Amino acid sequence: EVALSPRMPYTAHVNADFATVKELNINNVAVISTIMAQTVAFDSYNDTVDELLATFASINSSVQRTGNFTAMEKETLFKVVAQNNSLFIDMIAKLGIKDRSVTAWNLSQYERLHDGMKHEFEIDHRFGQIEFKLNLIQQNAKFFLNVLHNQKSDTLEWTIIVLISFECVLMIMEMSGVGSSVLSLTSAWI
């Protein structure tokens, strides 16, 4: 709620129930609407992050039970990582959570209103909570992505070992003189 008090000695005051401003002008409205938009966006982001945590918890329990990833879980993991990154970018770039209001930056008399509302709506604290959850998802995702990378590396290493072994067998056959007769038999057979 916003209250007008033209006789106030300062431009604005914020308390638990309402913001009091000396006059309602475009600059006050800009500061108030920015903070209100951020608080509404935080509610939405918090719900999305909670859904991501639930999805990640589901992946964790499945891997805990089976010890492996299914193709669906790998795809879900990649989606969770992408959405996690998108949320960080959106909060910083689109909402300007770490930025000051342009009005409060350019006109110092609106700084009190901006800081008071930011404190009252716990913008920094709420960002910290969401950031903690996103970092938790990110750390767990790094672990699982490293496991997937190591599994793929192991498969590739075994493939290379098999190919080198096959090449060694061919080389031994060629050096022993058996290789040309075996190759002529296989070419006739094919």
Side-chain angles (χ1 to χ4, degrees):
E1 189 174 326
V2 178
L4 290 174
S5 180
R7 295 188 183 128
M8 284 179 65
Y10 35 84
T11 309
H13 175 71
V14 178
N15 65 20
D17 296 326
F18 54 90
T20 306
V21 293
K22 193 171 193 169
E23 64 178 324
L24 192 59
N25 58 31
I26 193 70
N27 294 322
N28 283 325
V29 170
V31 170
I32 292 168
S33 63
T34 298
I35 298 297
M36 295 306 294
Q38 288 175 344
T39 197
V40 169
F42 269 137
D43 289 341
S44 174
Y45 284 136
N46 195 49
D47 292 344
T48 303
V49 170
D50 287 343
E51 289 172 15
L52 285 177
L53 279 173
T55 301
F56 213 85
S58 167
I59 293 171
N60 277 336
S61 3
S62 176
V63 171
Q64 184 179 9
R65 272 191 323 273
T66 64
N68 288 321
F69 280 106
T70 64
M72 180 76 114
E73 289 165 341
K74 287 178 188 176
E75 183 179 326
T76 303
L77 177 65
F78 294 139
K79 286 180 181 179
V80 166
V81 169
Q83 193 169 9
N84 188 53
N85 294 338
S86 293
L87 286 170
F88 257 130
I89 291 168
D90 286 353
M91 284 192 302
I92 300 299
K94 291 182 182 176
L95 283 182
I97 295 303
K98 292 295 185 181
D99 299 335
R100 292 188 79 154
S101 162
V102 174
T103 305
W105 180 260
N106 291 332
L107 304 167
S108 62
Q109 67 265 31
Y110 298 102
E111 185 175 355
R112 182 183 192 126
L113 176 62
H114 177 265
D115 291 346
M117 289 197 66
K118 197 169 181 179
H119 176 74
E120 185 60 36
F121 285 99
E122 300 176 330
I123 298 295
D124 291 332
H125 177 70
R126 291 168 70 196
F127 175 73
Q129 289 177 323
I130 292 173
E131 184 180 33
F132 175 79
K133 291 176 185 179
L134 290 173
N135 284 332
L136 180 67
I137 292 169
Q138 196 172 47
Q139 288 169 358
N140 283 298
K142 275 183 191 176
F143 171 75
F144 283 126
L145 291 172
N146 280 335
V147 168
L148 288 173
H149 175 73
N150 289 339
Q151 287 175 347
K152 190 166 194 157
S153 292
D154 288 348
T155 303
L156 291 174
E157 287 172 7
W158 279 108
T159 303
I160 290 169
I161 289 170
V162 168
L163 290 173
I164 289 173
S165 299
F166 182 68
E167 185 177 347
C168 288
V169 167
L170 288 177
M171 184 176 66
I172 290 171
M173 289 174 57
E174 184 68 32
M175 290 173 76
S176 69
V178 178
S180 57
S181 60
V182 171
L183 286 176
S184 64
L185 283 174
T186 51
S187 63
W189 202 51
I190 296 177

